[in-house]
Amino acid sequence: MGSPASELRDGMRIEWDAPITMDDGLVLRADVFSPAKSGLYPVILSYGPYAKGLAFQEGYPSAWQRMVAEHPDVAYGSTNLYQSWEVVDPEKWVPDGYVCIRVDSRGAGRSPGFIDHFSPRETRDFYNCIEWAGVQRWSNGKVGLNGISYYGINQWHVASLQPPHLAAMCIWEGAADWYRDMTHHGGILCTFWANWYDMQVTTVQYGRGERGPRSRVTGELVCGDEMLPDRELYRNRCDLGDEIRAHPLDDDYHKARSPIWDKVTVPFLSAANWGGQGLHPRGNFEGFVRAASKQKWLEAHGLEHWTHFYTGYGVGLQKRFFDCFLKGVDNGWKDQPRVQLQVRHVDRFVERHEDEWPVARTQWTKFYLNPADHGLVRVPAASAGSITYDAQGEGVTFASAPLERETEITGPLAARLFVSSSTTDADLFLVFRVFTPDMREVVFMGAIDPHTPIAQGWLRASHRKLDPTLSTEYRPYHAHDESQPLNPDEVVPLDVELWPTSIVVPSGHRLALTVRGRDYEWSKSTGAHLSNFKNELRGCGPFLHDDPRDRPAAVFGGRTTLHASPKQQSYVLVPIVPAKR
């Protein structure tokens, strides 16, 4: 590649393919969008693998079309020429006095090198990019990080290294723990990452040259000017699916790709999605609770996971936060309550502020499983009972009586189940559900799937060991550091984490808990697809647990039994939030 080109365009000074040299000598490439007027400005930076030159509209057409059709404020006020997947639109930030930088991560887009997602090497690269941006001639020395999903996940990681010029970050729907949030839900392998890799990363790997797309702005090849043979492309990337599968426990591989919470001290805004079951909410809540930062805020919303980042609501929230910490503007942000929730109703969202998470006035309420009549009841079992289901089947559902009054459920959930298996292990898939008076299930447009249930949780029985220092009654935290096989037909207690949710349930509706042996399905067929995922969207989006190598029938294909008795109370703990007084 030659020297970077610089031009004035659409009111911005743009430097294409700016070189950033890493500590090992590799040169990454970045696009820099800055105000036309010379000066010192704060920086909004992102680093990731989706190719900075690939237009949102061309790389992710189904997501873009739905978003702008339903939220025209996203496209309003911009030419939309510079829109890219999951990063800020510079046309909406540069006029307000920000420099926006997009870095193609090592091995992706126009940056050469070996792709190894979320690895210590990538995190060090991100650190180097932050420090580079902090000392450029146009920089005021304060760098903020912003972006969705991948561009949020790696913020937690780089913050653990404490780059001196990192002044603030906005983690928008960014998971954190490579094991618990992303690759092994409850110890069960999630196949999302192997499929994501094929669809969204290898398609824009550096070295595809003419086989890749061209930038609709510059005409340059999005994946670099080199045309590498397939065998070399393969050698230049990790085998992500195989690497994840080779590490079934939370070992050093996973820990190296996860945050160190007591070292995350930078001010941040953590934005979660209630409907992101399978990837997008857990890390945002964990980060808010566990990070050492003294100045930290939590926001939670709904809709598709890319939408609110670009709406007037999302951009306004981000700018207030960054104006405060990158520009020093006294805009009242530091006085804002630490928690901003878009509380979900069946037909709308209602904004409310709180001072903590979980909400302090939560009434933690147990609903007990009654095997005799499939009831979900407020009183413990008075006699012994059990119910058995196919260990890889659709399981059994326990439903409450109709609620007598409108009830808000906002927060994390947990279940304690007494379980036995005919084999040495069992995978439990828990779904917390709501049904209308005529027994139609209430589902939502989730972060990915258009028919997302209220909340989900997972646990492999052999991973039932808890970390006593991190577990709470409402958030069991599993160690995942050893496998403890079951003795066939022996009853054991299992504590299952269900990810945080929010729903105001109307009176007359019913609550339900389904315990299954496989992924939830809203319907066997929906016809719902997105251009960047392989599978039909049937309730869990792409976050599936369907690799037979991880769930061999000889171990996971027997019979699972749920037990309840006066001494073995199986229940789900529900966070009921009363109105503020």
Side-chain angles (χ1 to χ4, degrees):
M1 296 182 188
S3 300
S6 181
E7 62 176 323
L8 282 172
R9 186 167 182 160
D10 294 315
M12 302 179 289
R13 183 173 299 280
I14 307 173
E15 188 175 2
W16 305 107
D17 276 343
I20 308 177
T21 304
M22 300 297 100
D23 53 290
D24 64 352
L26 187 84
V27 177
L28 303 183
R29 295 289 171 170
D31 292 342
V32 180
F33 303 84
S34 57
K37 183 180 178 180
S38 296
L40 299 178
Y41 300 99
V43 174
I44 300 293
L45 186 145
S46 58
Y47 169 101
Y50 295 139
K52 60 185 176 59
L54 179 63
F56 192 141
Q57 300 91 323
E58 294 175 3
Y60 302 85
S62 55
W64 174 261
Q65 290 159 12
R66 179 186 177 97
M67 180 169 63
V68 296
E70 297 187 4
H71 303 275
D73 56 320
V74 170
Y76 180 77
S78 172
T79 68
N80 298 297
L81 271 176
Y82 310 95
Q83 294 277 13
S84 290
W85 178 243
E86 298 187 334
V87 294
V88 302
D89 176 4
E91 287 189 272
K92 292 193 175 182
W93 287 80
V94 171
D96 286 340
Y98 286 96
V99 174
C100 296
I101 302 176
R102 299 170 175 171
V103 185
D104 277 341
S105 58
R106 184 176 293 242
R110 293 181 64 83
S111 291
F114 183 84
I115 297 177
D116 188 5
H117 293 296
F118 304 118
S119 64
R121 177 65 265 176
E122 263 208 357
T123 304
R124 177 55 59 178
D125 288 348
F126 198 2
Y127 177 105
N128 291 334
C129 292
I130 293 166
E131 291 307 292
W132 175 88
V135 298
Q136 297 306 299
R137 65 187 183 283
W138 30 255
S139 174
N140 74 350
K142 293 186 176 182
V143 178
L145 308 179
N146 200 9
I148 311 173
S149 194
Y150 198 107
Y151 298 104
I153 294 167
N154 59 11
Q155 293 182 45
W156 297 121
H157 303 164
V158 78
S160 301
L161 300 181
Q162 300 182 341
H165 287 95
L166 178 58
M169 58 185 192
C170 174
I171 309 97
W172 201 273
E173 303 187 33
D177 187 314
W178 184 232
Y179 190 91
R180 292 164 185 81
D181 297 355
M182 295 183 263
T183 65
H184 291 80
H185 298 136
I188 308 169
L189 177 69
C190 179
T191 55
F192 164 73
W193 291 97
N195 295 326
W196 163 86
Y197 197 42
D198 290 344
M199 296 293 287
Q200 292 184 237
V201 177
T202 62
T203 52
V204 290
Q205 183 179 357
Y206 175 85
R208 289 182 59 85
E210 293 283 355
R211 290 169 293 178
R214 286 185 178 272
S215 166
R216 66 177 189 164
V217 181
T218 67
E220 296 292 327
L221 291 165
V222 164
C223 303
D225 300 328
E226 285 191 88
M227 180 87 84
L228 301 178
D230 287 344
R231 63 183 178 275
E232 189 167 349
L233 290 174
Y234 181 79
R235 287 198 299 267
N236 286 347
R237 62 180 187 251
C238 70
D239 194 328
L240 189 63
D242 285 350
E243 287 192 6
I244 291 170
R245 194 168 55 250
H247 296 272
L249 298 175
D250 185 20
D251 57 14
D252 289 342
Y253 165 80
H254 294 283
K255 288 180 170 60
R257 291 159 174 78
S258 299
I260 304 171
W261 290 120
D262 61 1
K263 293 186 177 180
V264 178
T265 58
V266 66
F268 67 78
L269 168 62
S270 177
N273 189 315
W274 302 121
Q277 304 290 316
L279 182 61
H280 294 106
R282 185 182 185 275
N284 288 102
F285 291 104
E286 284 285 298
F288 176 74
V289 172
R290 295 181 62 193
S293 301
K294 302 299 183 185
Q295 296 176 303
K296 53 185 178 179
W297 286 263
L298 173 69
E299 188 271 353
H301 54 268
L303 306 180
E304 306 92 341
H305 91 97
W306 51 83
T307 297
H308 262 320
F309 182 79
Y310 293 100
T311 63
Y313 166 80
V315 173
L317 195 69
Q318 296 158 40
K319 284 184 178 178
R320 283 188 59 225
F321 169 74
F322 283 120
D323 281 353
C324 175
F325 287 103
L326 300 187
K327 294 182 176 181
V329 176
D330 184 7
N331 58 9
W333 178 270
K334 291 183 180 180
D335 297 323
Q336 170 154 321
R338 291 303 176 100
V339 177
Q340 178 169 313
L341 306 177
Q342 298 295 330
V343 177
R344 184 167 57 184
H345 294 244
V346 295
D347 58 351
R348 66 193 187 282
F349 293 88
V350 176
E351 184 171 307
R352 190 177 73 225
H353 292 87
E354 302 286 351
D355 295 317
E356 68 288 306
W357 181 266
V359 178
R361 65 183 180 282
T362 300
Q363 298 171 351
W364 300 101
T365 305
K366 293 178 181 177
F367 286 81
Y368 296 89
L369 281 58
N370 186 348
D373 63 0
H374 290 198
L376 195 62
V377 297
R378 297 288 294 272
V379 294
S383 59
S386 64
I387 189 167
T388 300
Y389 62 90
D390 178 352
Q392 289 191 326
E394 296 183 358
V396 60
T397 297
F398 301 86
S400 75
L403 296 182
E404 295 180 355
R405 62 182 64 86
E406 181 180 84
T407 302
E408 180 184 334
I409 297 169
T410 296
L413 296 88
R416 165 159 281 201
L417 304 177
F418 286 85
V419 177
S420 64
S421 171
S422 63
T423 69
T424 58
D425 214 338
D427 285 344
L428 274 66
F429 296 74
L430 271 59
V431 190
F432 187 75
R433 309 164 78 180
V434 169
F435 289 89
T436 63
D438 59 353
M439 295 307 292
R440 290 177 293 110
E441 185 173 8
V442 176
V443 292
F444 294 92
M445 177 65 244
I448 299 294
D449 200 291
H451 304 102
T452 299
I454 303 302
Q456 296 185 73
W458 307 261
L459 185 64
R460 176 158 288 174
S462 60
H463 285 234
R464 63 192 178 277
K465 176 183 174 183
L466 294 172
D467 182 331
T469 63
L470 292 174
S471 290
T472 64
E473 185 182 24
Y474 57 79
R475 200 291 311 274
Y477 191 95
H478 296 89
H480 296 299
D481 59 1
E482 63 175 315
S483 179
Q484 299 179 334
L486 303 174
N487 295 318
D489 301 320
E490 178 186 1
V491 181
V492 297
L494 303 181
D495 294 284
V496 186
E497 174 188 6
L498 284 82
W499 288 9
T501 191
S502 176
I503 174 66
V504 177
V505 185
S507 63
H509 284 50
R510 298 173 189 258
L511 310 180
L513 180 72
T514 298
V515 184
R516 296 170 57 89
R518 62 175 186 243
D519 286 311
Y520 167 85
E521 288 182 346
W522 180 75
S523 177
K524 295 294 182 183
S525 180
T526 64
H529 291 85
L530 283 172
S531 56
N532 51 309
F533 297 127
K534 293 180 180 179
N535 62 295
E536 185 179 15
L537 305 179
R538 297 186 293 179
C540 288
F543 308 113
L544 303 177
H545 308 80
D546 54 0
D547 189 330
R549 294 169 294 182
D550 183 61
R551 307 186 67 218
V555 178
F556 297 96
R559 305 284 288 171
T560 301
T561 302
L562 304 176
H563 302 263
S565 73
K567 292 186 177 180
Q568 296 176 330
Q569 299 291 351
S570 291
Y571 61 83
V572 59
L573 185 69
V574 178
I576 295 178
V577 179
K580 282 186 174 182
R581 292 182 178 179

